[in-house]
Structures are given as C-alpha cells and as structure tokens.
Amino acid sequence: MSHHQTRQDEREARAQRAVVARPAEDSPPLVDRSVLDRLGRELDDDGEGYTRIFVANFITCLPGRIERLRLALTTGDLEAAINAVLSLKTSSQMVGAERLAALAVDLETGVRGGAARSDAMTLPKLAAAFLRPIDRCGSQTVHILDQWTRAASVGHAR
C-alpha cells in the first residue's frame, strides 16, 4: 500500500467518523436564516413570495435528490454519485441548510477519495455511513424550512 493511498484511507475514515461522531456543539445549524434573508434580497423579493417558492421547491425536490444519491451509492455509479452529492450540496447551501450541506461536503470528500483509489466498495460503504444521517438531517431541515415558509406566508398575507 502506497503512502498516498494510506493518506486517502485516513481522510475517508475521518469523513465517515465526522458523520457518526460529530458532536452537537460542533455541528452547523440545521438552517441558517441569514441565508434565507440574503436569498430574499438577491431575488428582489418585495412581497411576491419568490423566496418562499424557492424554498418550497427545495423541499419538494429533496426526496428525489436523496433517492438519486442512494441509488448511485448503492449501485457503485461514481459519475451519478458525484452529480447527486453536488446537487444535494449546492441546493442545500442555497437555502441555508447548513448541516445537510456539511454532510454532503463530507460525503463528497469520501466519494472523490474512493474514486482516486478506484475502490469498488467505497460507494456502498459510504452509503452505509452517510445515508441514514442524511435522511434524518433532511427530515429535520424540511421541518424547519416548512415552518419558515408558513410563517413567511402569514407575514406576506398581511
């Protein structure tokens, strides 16, 4: 085993441990509301509800994104796994879903590390380590974002 491969193995193991052992006080927030505020300014949301619609689309698309990720990881499809994890990461970042984005970043590190080593079992192992925490975090994130969209709807109805 080369020194480079050993370092890749160590990075992948750290990424997997980060998901399982990340202490609560070290975790990013589920949702960073300042990102939603910035999104509203960027969309020039002057009561039209564009931000609410954007967030609602994120909520609607999230199960499909996670399912594509699950399928790609469990079947060992590297290209699809990279596309799926990037989709999850960027969409999460855009709505301020910071904890979900952090999980996606950690998973992306593992996927790219496995690709560099051409290890056929990397993706299924990553599926075992990451999918349950991503599902759980996704559900918690949707709950908070749904509450936010409801509150935003009430605020715009006045």
Side-chain angles (χ1 to χ4, degrees), residues 25-39:
E25 68 274 358
D26 196 32
S27 294
L30 282 166
V31 175
D32 181 348
R33 292 171 196 260
S34 70
V35 174
L36 294 169
D37 294 339
R38 186 182 72 235
L39 180 63

PDB file of all heavy atoms in Angstrom, residues 25-39:
ATOM      1  N   GLU A  25     -22.407  20.319  19.562  1.00  0.00           N
ATOM      2  CA  GLU A  25     -21.944  21.697  19.669  1.00  0.00           C
ATOM      3  C   GLU A  25     -21.034  22.082  18.510  1.00  0.00           C
ATOM      4  O   GLU A  25     -20.822  23.246  18.238  1.00  0.00           O
ATOM      5  CB  GLU A  25     -21.243  21.952  21.008  1.00  0.00           C
ATOM      6  CG  GLU A  25     -19.912  21.226  21.186  1.00  0.00           C
ATOM      7  CD  GLU A  25     -20.068  19.812  21.723  1.00  0.00           C
ATOM      8  OE1 GLU A  25     -21.198  19.380  21.998  1.00  0.00           O
ATOM      9  OE2 GLU A  25     -19.045  19.133  21.871  1.00  0.00           O
ATOM     10  N   ASP A  26     -20.521  21.098  17.786  1.00  0.00           N
ATOM     11  CA  ASP A  26     -19.636  21.345  16.658  1.00  0.00           C
ATOM     12  C   ASP A  26     -20.406  21.355  15.336  1.00  0.00           C
ATOM     13  O   ASP A  26     -19.857  21.703  14.304  1.00  0.00           O
ATOM     14  CB  ASP A  26     -18.546  20.255  16.624  1.00  0.00           C
ATOM     15  CG  ASP A  26     -17.382  20.618  15.745  1.00  0.00           C
ATOM     16  OD1 ASP A  26     -17.065  21.821  15.651  1.00  0.00           O
ATOM     17  OD2 ASP A  26     -16.788  19.698  15.150  1.00  0.00           O
ATOM     18  N   SER A  27     -21.667  20.996  15.372  1.00  0.00           N
ATOM     19  CA  SER A  27     -22.478  20.898  14.157  1.00  0.00           C
ATOM     20  C   SER A  27     -22.934  22.273  13.708  1.00  0.00           C
ATOM     21  O   SER A  27     -23.289  23.114  14.524  1.00  0.00           O
ATOM     22  CB  SER A  27     -23.706  20.039  14.399  1.00  0.00           C
ATOM     23  OG  SER A  27     -23.326  18.717  14.644  1.00  0.00           O
ATOM     24  N   PRO A  28     -22.972  22.469  12.399  1.00  0.00           N
ATOM     25  CA  PRO A  28     -23.571  23.716  11.907  1.00  0.00           C
ATOM     26  C   PRO A  28     -25.069  23.702  12.179  1.00  0.00           C
ATOM     27  O   PRO A  28     -25.653  22.652  12.435  1.00  0.00           O
ATOM     28  CB  PRO A  28     -23.279  23.687  10.408  1.00  0.00           C
ATOM     29  CG  PRO A  28     -22.830  22.317  10.076  1.00  0.00           C
ATOM     30  CD  PRO A  28     -22.475  21.624  11.341  1.00  0.00           C
ATOM     31  N   PRO A  29     -25.708  24.863  12.115  1.00  0.00           N
ATOM     32  CA  PRO A  29     -27.161  24.887  12.350  1.00  0.00           C
ATOM     33  C   PRO A  29     -27.884  24.121  11.249  1.00  0.00           C
ATOM     34  O   PRO A  29     -27.387  24.003  10.129  1.00  0.00           O
ATOM     35  CB  PRO A  29     -27.495  26.380  12.296  1.00  0.00           C
ATOM     36  CG  PRO A  29     -26.415  26.979  11.454  1.00  0.00           C
ATOM     37  CD  PRO A  29     -25.182  26.161  11.738  1.00  0.00           C
ATOM     38  N   LEU A  30     -29.057  23.597  11.570  1.00  0.00           N
ATOM     39  CA  LEU A  30     -29.859  22.948  10.534  1.00  0.00           C
ATOM     40  C   LEU A  30     -30.144  23.939   9.412  1.00  0.00           C
ATOM     41  O   LEU A  30     -29.953  23.622   8.238  1.00  0.00           O
ATOM     42  CB  LEU A  30     -31.161  22.405  11.115  1.00  0.00           C
ATOM     43  CG  LEU A  30     -31.040  21.095  11.881  1.00  0.00           C
ATOM     44  CD1 LEU A  30     -32.306  20.823  12.686  1.00  0.00           C
ATOM     45  CD2 LEU A  30     -30.752  19.946  10.938  1.00  0.00           C
ATOM     46  N   VAL A  31     -30.596  25.133   9.778  1.00  0.00           N
ATOM     47  CA  VAL A  31     -30.894  26.167   8.783  1.00  0.00           C
ATOM     48  C   VAL A  31     -30.329  27.496   9.277  1.00  0.00           C
ATOM     49  O   VAL A  31     -30.575  27.892  10.417  1.00  0.00           O
ATOM     50  CB  VAL A  31     -32.415  26.298   8.542  1.00  0.00           C
ATOM     51  CG1 VAL A  31     -32.720  27.449   7.590  1.00  0.00           C
ATOM     52  CG2 VAL A  31     -32.986  24.993   8.005  1.00  0.00           C
ATOM     53  N   ASP A  32     -29.597  28.156   8.407  1.00  0.00           N
ATOM     54  CA  ASP A  32     -29.075  29.486   8.692  1.00  0.00           C
ATOM     55  C   ASP A  32     -30.039  30.491   8.065  1.00  0.00           C
ATOM     56  O   ASP A  32     -30.068  30.670   6.848  1.00  0.00           O
ATOM     57  CB  ASP A  32     -27.666  29.630   8.100  1.00  0.00           C
ATOM     58  CG  ASP A  32     -27.053  30.986   8.369  1.00  0.00           C
ATOM     59  OD1 ASP A  32     -27.766  31.910   8.819  1.00  0.00           O
ATOM     60  OD2 ASP A  32     -25.840  31.129   8.113  1.00  0.00           O
ATOM     61  N   ARG A  33     -30.831  31.109   8.894  1.00  0.00           N
ATOM     62  CA  ARG A  33     -31.876  32.017   8.395  1.00  0.00           C
ATOM     63  C   ARG A  33     -31.303  33.250   7.695  1.00  0.00           C
ATOM     64  O   ARG A  33     -31.982  33.851   6.866  1.00  0.00           O
ATOM     65  CB  ARG A  33     -32.818  32.401   9.524  1.00  0.00           C
ATOM     66  CG  ARG A  33     -33.633  31.192   9.977  1.00  0.00           C
ATOM     67  CD  ARG A  33     -34.416  31.484  11.244  1.00  0.00           C
ATOM     68  NE  ARG A  33     -34.861  30.250  11.836  1.00  0.00           N
ATOM     69  CZ  ARG A  33     -36.090  29.770  11.700  1.00  0.00           C
ATOM     70  NH1 ARG A  33     -36.968  30.405  10.988  1.00  0.00           N
ATOM     71  NH2 ARG A  33     -36.423  28.634  12.270  1.00  0.00           N
ATOM     72  N   SER A  34     -30.059  33.592   8.004  1.00  0.00           N
ATOM     73  CA  SER A  34     -29.461  34.744   7.314  1.00  0.00           C
ATOM     74  C   SER A  34     -29.289  34.448   5.821  1.00  0.00           C
ATOM     75  O   SER A  34     -29.337  35.362   4.991  1.00  0.00           O
ATOM     76  CB  SER A  34     -28.121  35.132   7.945  1.00  0.00           C
ATOM     77  OG  SER A  34     -27.126  34.163   7.689  1.00  0.00           O
ATOM     78  N   VAL A  35     -29.117  33.173   5.474  1.00  0.00           N
ATOM     79  CA  VAL A  35     -29.025  32.797   4.061  1.00  0.00           C
ATOM     80  C   VAL A  35     -30.377  33.027   3.383  1.00  0.00           C
ATOM     81  O   VAL A  35     -30.440  33.521   2.247  1.00  0.00           O
ATOM     82  CB  VAL A  35     -28.557  31.329   3.900  1.00  0.00           C
ATOM     83  CG1 VAL A  35     -28.608  30.891   2.449  1.00  0.00           C
ATOM     84  CG2 VAL A  35     -27.152  31.155   4.461  1.00  0.00           C
ATOM     85  N   LEU A  36     -31.450  32.706   4.079  1.00  0.00           N
ATOM     86  CA  LEU A  36     -32.793  32.943   3.527  1.00  0.00           C
ATOM     87  C   LEU A  36     -33.045  34.442   3.351  1.00  0.00           C
ATOM     88  O   LEU A  36     -33.629  34.860   2.345  1.00  0.00           O
ATOM     89  CB  LEU A  36     -33.849  32.316   4.425  1.00  0.00           C
ATOM     90  CG  LEU A  36     -33.826  30.794   4.500  1.00  0.00           C
ATOM     91  CD1 LEU A  36     -34.747  30.307   5.618  1.00  0.00           C
ATOM     92  CD2 LEU A  36     -34.205  30.178   3.173  1.00  0.00           C
ATOM     93  N   ASP A  37     -32.582  35.237   4.307  1.00  0.00           N
ATOM     94  CA  ASP A  37     -32.727  36.691   4.187  1.00  0.00           C
ATOM     95  C   ASP A  37     -31.956  37.210   2.978  1.00  0.00           C
ATOM     96  O   ASP A  37     -32.462  38.019   2.205  1.00  0.00           O
ATOM     97  CB  ASP A  37     -32.234  37.396   5.458  1.00  0.00           C
ATOM     98  CG  ASP A  37     -33.089  37.089   6.675  1.00  0.00           C
ATOM     99  OD1 ASP A  37     -34.261  36.671   6.505  1.00  0.00           O
ATOM    100  OD2 ASP A  37     -32.579  37.251   7.804  1.00  0.00           O
ATOM    101  N   ARG A  38     -30.722  36.728   2.816  1.00  0.00           N
ATOM    102  CA  ARG A  38     -29.895  37.143   1.675  1.00  0.00           C
ATOM    103  C   ARG A  38     -30.538  36.705   0.357  1.00  0.00           C
ATOM    104  O   ARG A  38     -30.576  37.462  -0.607  1.00  0.00           O
ATOM    105  CB  ARG A  38     -28.477  36.576   1.796  1.00  0.00           C
ATOM    106  CG  ARG A  38     -27.531  37.101   0.707  1.00  0.00           C
ATOM    107  CD  ARG A  38     -26.140  36.516   0.792  1.00  0.00           C
ATOM    108  NE  ARG A  38     -26.193  35.132   0.358  1.00  0.00           N
ATOM    109  CZ  ARG A  38     -25.774  34.094   1.063  1.00  0.00           C
ATOM    110  NH1 ARG A  38     -25.246  34.261   2.249  1.00  0.00           N
ATOM    111  NH2 ARG A  38     -25.863  32.870   0.586  1.00  0.00           N
ATOM    112  N   LEU A  39     -31.083  35.479   0.344  1.00  0.00           N
ATOM    113  CA  LEU A  39     -31.754  34.986  -0.856  1.00  0.00           C
ATOM    114  C   LEU A  39     -32.924  35.903  -1.227  1.00  0.00           C
ATOM    115  O   LEU A  39     -33.125  36.239  -2.394  1.00  0.00           O
ATOM    116  CB  LEU A  39     -32.234  33.548  -0.642  1.00  0.00           C
ATOM    117  CG  LEU A  39     -32.947  32.877  -1.804  1.00  0.00           C
ATOM    118  CD1 LEU A  39     -32.015  32.733  -3.007  1.00  0.00           C
ATOM    119  CD2 LEU A  39     -33.456  31.499  -1.368  1.00  0.00           C
TER     120      LEU A  39
END
